[in-house]
Amino acid sequence: NNGWAQYRLTLPLTRRQVVLGRYLSVFAVTLGTFALLVLVTSGAIAVLWPLGLLPLEPPSPSDLVMMALCSMTALLAGAALVMPFVMRLGFTRGSRAFALALVMLPPLLLGDFGDTFLGSFLSGTTPVALFAGSLVLYVASALLSVRLYETREL
């Protein structure tokens, strides 16, 4: 413990503002990651596909966005599960609980782009519904973390 939590509380911020600031920063990084993933992958496909360096047919732009949305969903869901531990236990002990709390969705989606399951999954509303669910989980997690951090002894 380097004492950062005690120092942070000397700033003109409430514990609620500290927690919600963390959640907003994680959400902003997640949005940036989503945009970067779509841009870099689109650029790589644009360069590598004409050269014949991709072994499979590349995904359509809408499928690419849906795959990135699935990754964003997993990031938000993972953060929603981990942040209450971090806010209650501190970063070191909370991060140890990370492996127990993090659930990853993208490994279930790995496979050939032409796979029937993946194609039907991405073309439906499932990724959007999962993303909406992860947002609800994220907001609930933020509210829980505020309550846990407000009662935490530092």
Side-chain angles (χ1 to χ4, degrees), residues 2-3 16 20 60 114 126:
N2 63 6
R16 179 181 192 84
L20 295 179
S60 69
T126 305

Side-chain angles (χ1 to χ4, degrees), residues 6-154:
Q6 291 90 354
Y7 173 73
R8 181 179 48 225
L9 291 178
T10 65
L11 298 171
L13 298 170
T14 66
R15 287 179 182 232
R16 179 181 192 84
Q17 290 169 327
V18 167
V19 171
L20 295 179
R22 281 195 174 188
Y23 273 83
L24 285 174
S25 67
V26 167
F27 189 71
V29 167
T30 302
L31 284 176
T33 301
F34 172 81
L36 188 62
L37 176 63
V38 171
L39 289 172
V40 168
T41 305
S42 297
I45 289 170
V47 170
L48 299 176
W49 180 250
L51 298 174
L53 298 175
L54 293 179
L56 305 170
E57 182 76 24
S60 69
S62 63
D63 283 352
L64 182 60
V65 167
M66 288 300 184
M67 285 188 270
L69 188 64
C70 288
S71 294
M72 188 173 169
T73 299
L75 286 171
L76 285 178
L81 295 172
V82 170
M83 291 291 281
F85 289 104
V86 170
M87 298 314 298
R88 180 65 182 161
L89 303 173
F91 185 77
T92 302
R93 287 186 288 163
S95 64
R96 289 178 185 153
F98 181 80
L100 299 174
L102 185 61
V103 177
M104 295 299 291
L105 178 64
L108 298 175
L109 304 177
L110 291 178
D112 186 349
F113 289 122
D115 182 66
T116 306
F117 169 74
L118 183 61
S120 63
F121 180 84
L122 294 176
S123 64
T125 58
T126 305
V128 176
L130 287 174
F131 178 69
S134 73
L135 283 178
V136 170
L137 179 64
Y138 196 68
V139 169
S141 173
L143 296 174
L144 174 64
S145 291
V146 165
R147 186 171 173 94
L148 290 173
Y149 194 64
E150 286 177 341
T151 62
R152 180 178 168 200
E153 289 290 325
L154 296 177

